[in-house]
Amino acid sequence: MYDCCKIQLLERLPSACPSYTQLYWDLQMSAVNAVSGVALEPSGLVSPGSTVRSLTKELQHSLDLASATSGEKVVTAQDEQTLTQSGGQTPGPQRPRSNSGRELTDEEILASVMIKNLDTGEEIPLIQAEEKLPAGINPLTLHIMRRTKEYIANDAAQSDDDDKPQAPLTDTDGGKLKQKTTQLKKFLGKSVKKAKHLAEEYGEKAVNKVKSVRDEVFHTDQDDPSSSDDEGMPYTRPAKFKAAHSFKGPFDFDQIKVVQDLSGEHMGAVWTMKFSHCGRLLATAGQDNVVRIWVLKTAFDYFNNMRLKYNTEGRVSPSPSQESLCSSKSDTDPGASCAPEDPDMEDRNAPFRQVPFCKYKGHTADLLDLSWSKNFFLLSSSMDKTVRLWHISRRECLCCFQHIDFVTAIAFHPRDDRYFLSGSLDGKLRLWNIPDKKVALWNEVDGQTRLITAANFCQNGKYAVIGTYDGRCIFYDTERLKYHTQIHVRSTRGRNKVGRKITGIEPLPGENKILVTSNDSRIRLYDLRDLSLSMKYKGYVNSSSQIKASFSHDYSFIVSGSEDKYVYIWSTYHDLSKFTSVRRDRNDFWEGIKAHNAVVTSAIFAPHPGLIVPQETGAEKPEAECKSLDSTDSETIPSGALKTDHTEVLLSADFTGAIKVFINVKKY
């Protein structure tokens, strides 16, 4: 595929570093087992001391620690520099001045920039716009709004799109009178609630006022019994369940329960969560600039032994670096993870260790996306305009890839993890070569709005696909990163006829389809064979967040967070008898779970629930069969066709940093 980069990896391994060589074989063995189903230890993982004599052809091109740590440790994108150098020096940014030549203050600049509400047409100064922003808005969205000089009301995406005909209301049929009456009722209702709240609050102590301010800042419900601040064991409390009014069942998730609460670690919102391919490690990151790795209790010994065996005791890399990355070290001491948890504080029913396995520091702004390779490398992208490379066996950052603007999305190549894809707000899509420490290929988005807000691979790496702020899904041939085709994600009429920001892109193996999440509170499934819309999923609220939808481990369900504090789930197995005869490409039959008091910023299914919840006797399947979902054989799996077990494990995170773990045992 990349002829210039096909170098035997074994030649890259330094003979003076036998630990790297051993780790390389061990990591390759773990990846091979995921495909070939080799006999495993009781924990399901190969011993760190094991070796393998031969490798499958598919895994000949894979990233290893020697190539990841060789060469420069700070890599800068060179394509833009070449362009600017050819045109001469570009002047730096200059502060605006008044007519008299005086430099304007920050307040004067903000007051001079007018922001337009696309829903009402109202224009207000930027300095006042933040007061009217929707609750739960993230800094990335705020930055984009400032850059594009627009803001969108929170109810913008709640209107019906092309599902219902929009008949104009006239004075003769009482349309305007009805509309005014509805507005008056809403106004009176809000006024009564506000007056009642003030009356109750007037006689309370000052501490209650402080609490109310805190709850307002974090967008929480003060009286909600499902608060993450509640004392007691969370797994004894069932999660609240609701479903669409037209959905009469049978339900799949009405018995779901919270089994673990991982709150208290993240300071601020959790923007992204990703499971490793093996399903035993969970990476979470967000507003506090720290990557946290959580490990299943059953796999703790394996990964702890790996870290102890291959840790370089503070040495950052075998070769000198351009920048000291000491600040990027994990704040977990080498032996800190060895100590067992307090038995009195430990909940045996909780699948994860209550404290993170490790914390990776180094980013200086919000983290926006994460991506795992098959052999435990982790990429993290941030609003600090960098992508950092980590490995679970090391305590420090292995490499830092600098960009021109915020890096909103990253993805390892599914067949050759020496390469990864990055999408940035500078409008450029880059394919990075990790061993060579450079941009192998890049392309630029055209159009007036060139902000890339999502990126991924589809069809097992054949195409790279990006999502833009103006609602376009653009496909590029991965071989040369040349433009292939595009889809404009929007409705045919209504308020959503203008494309809105795309927040997530997930491929559906086996059916040549992709799942696209956007800021019009819609999730769409597109068929890549003819670029047609297969299904539209509705019910959740996503008008200004970076919330993205994803599939369950067997592709039977779709899950997404929501700005109304619920987790929403749809079935991909469509019972068309429930749908109307007119529109069978609209799925409104959702199930909702309430366990948070704030905007649910991320929700994902565990890739291998059997590792967390033991399957019942007679329903067990070999470990190798479960692992085969990670291999290329998954490209033949159709959605809804696999019913591998009757258990789902679901995780959700919110705007306050709370993380909840759910277990759902399905009915037979």
Side-chain angles (χ1 to χ4, degrees), residues 310-412:
Y310 297 108
N311 199 288
T312 55
E313 298 180 356
R315 186 175 59 183
V316 175
S317 64
S319 58
S321 59
Q322 295 181 6
E323 175 193 27
S324 174
L325 297 177
C326 294
S327 61
S328 304
K329 289 184 180 180
S330 165
D331 63 356
T332 302
D333 294 333
S337 298
C338 301
E341 293 181 339
D342 187 352
D344 296 333
M345 300 296 294
E346 183 180 359
D347 173 22
R348 294 185 177 181
N349 294 327
F352 291 91
R353 284 176 58 88
Q354 196 63 32
V355 295
F357 179 68
C358 58
K359 302 176 186 178
Y360 290 128
K361 295 183 178 181
H363 286 289
T364 58
D366 292 50
L367 285 103
L368 302 178
D369 201 8
L370 297 165
S371 180
W372 285 95
S373 74
K374 291 183 179 179
N375 46 3
F376 308 118
F377 285 95
L378 178 66
L379 288 169
S380 58
S381 69
S382 170
M383 291 176 61
D384 64 7
K385 307 178 184 179
T386 67
V387 174
R388 288 181 179 264
L389 178 67
W390 319 87
H391 192 272
I392 194 63
S393 69
R394 304 290 291 271
R395 296 185 296 121
E396 72 277 359
C397 175
L398 303 180
C399 191
C400 179
F401 303 89
Q402 293 183 341
H403 291 64
I404 307 301
D405 210 330
F406 296 171
V407 188
T408 55
I410 46 174
F412 269 110

Side-chain angles (χ1 to χ4, degrees), residues 173-442:
D173 60 13
K176 289 186 177 180
L177 179 61
K178 183 177 180 180
Q179 185 178 7
K180 290 183 178 181
T181 305
T182 303
Q183 293 176 351
L184 182 61
K185 287 181 179 180
K186 289 182 178 180
F187 175 78
L188 291 177
K190 291 180 180 179
S191 301
V192 172
K193 290 180 180 178
K194 185 176 181 181
K196 183 180 179 181
H197 174 69
L198 292 175
E200 293 175 350
E201 188 184 57
Y202 186 78
E204 296 294 331
K205 295 180 180 180
V207 65
N208 291 336
K209 179 64 177 177
V210 174
K211 286 184 177 181
S212 65
V213 173
R214 179 204 65 178
D215 295 333
E216 183 177 356
V217 170
F218 287 103
H219 315 291
T220 59
D221 293 335
Q222 185 175 358
D223 300 327
D224 198 316
S226 63
S227 172
S228 60
D229 296 332
D230 288 348
E231 297 181 356
M233 305 303 286
Y235 61 84
T236 61
R237 180 181 65 249
K240 293 182 180 179
F241 176 84
K242 71 173 182 178
H245 294 297
S246 56
F247 189 15
K248 305 304 180 184
F251 303 114
D252 290 300
F253 293 89
D254 54 342
Q255 300 298 319
I256 195 168
K257 295 185 182 301
V258 179
V259 296
Q260 190 171 10
D261 190 336
L262 298 176
S263 306
E265 275 290 335
H266 279 279
M267 302 299 295
V270 176
W271 300 133
T272 177
M273 298 193 298
K274 291 290 177 66
F275 267 100
S276 62
H277 289 263
C278 70
R280 296 171 174 87
L281 297 171
L282 172 70
T284 61
Q287 197 169 11
D288 59 7
N289 313 343
V290 180
V291 180
R292 288 173 173 82
I293 308 295
W294 310 82
V295 63
L296 293 180
K297 293 178 180 179
T298 56
F300 169 74
D301 290 338
Y302 172 82
F303 290 107
N304 191 50
N305 290 337
M306 178 188 292
R307 296 201 74 187
L308 292 177
K309 184 173 182 180
Y310 297 108
N311 199 288
T312 55
E313 298 180 356
R315 186 175 59 183
V316 175
S317 64
S319 58
S321 59
Q322 295 181 6
E323 175 193 27
S324 174
L325 297 177
C326 294
S327 61
S328 304
K329 289 184 180 180
S330 165
D331 63 356
T332 302
D333 294 333
S337 298
C338 301
E341 293 181 339
D342 187 352
D344 296 333
M345 300 296 294
E346 183 180 359
D347 173 22
R348 294 185 177 181
N349 294 327
F352 291 91
R353 284 176 58 88
Q354 196 63 32
V355 295
F357 179 68
C358 58
K359 302 176 186 178
Y360 290 128
K361 295 183 178 181
H363 286 289
T364 58
D366 292 50
L367 285 103
L368 302 178
D369 201 8
L370 297 165
S371 180
W372 285 95
S373 74
K374 291 183 179 179
N375 46 3
F376 308 118
F377 285 95
L378 178 66
L379 288 169
S380 58
S381 69
S382 170
M383 291 176 61
D384 64 7
K385 307 178 184 179
T386 67
V387 174
R388 288 181 179 264
L389 178 67
W390 319 87
H391 192 272
I392 194 63
S393 69
R394 304 290 291 271
R395 296 185 296 121
E396 72 277 359
C397 175
L398 303 180
C399 191
C400 179
F401 303 89
Q402 293 183 341
H403 291 64
I404 307 301
D405 210 330
F406 296 171
V407 188
T408 55
I410 46 174
F412 269 110
H413 192 287
R415 291 186 292 106
D416 189 346
D417 54 21
R418 297 175 302 169
Y419 296 86
F420 75 89
L421 192 70
S422 69
S424 174
L425 291 187
D426 65 358
K428 290 184 172 60
L429 178 69
R430 299 175 177 88
L431 187 66
W432 294 82
N433 184 317
I434 298 177
D436 290 348
K437 304 296 188 296
K438 67 178 184 180
V439 176
L441 299 167
W442 66 279

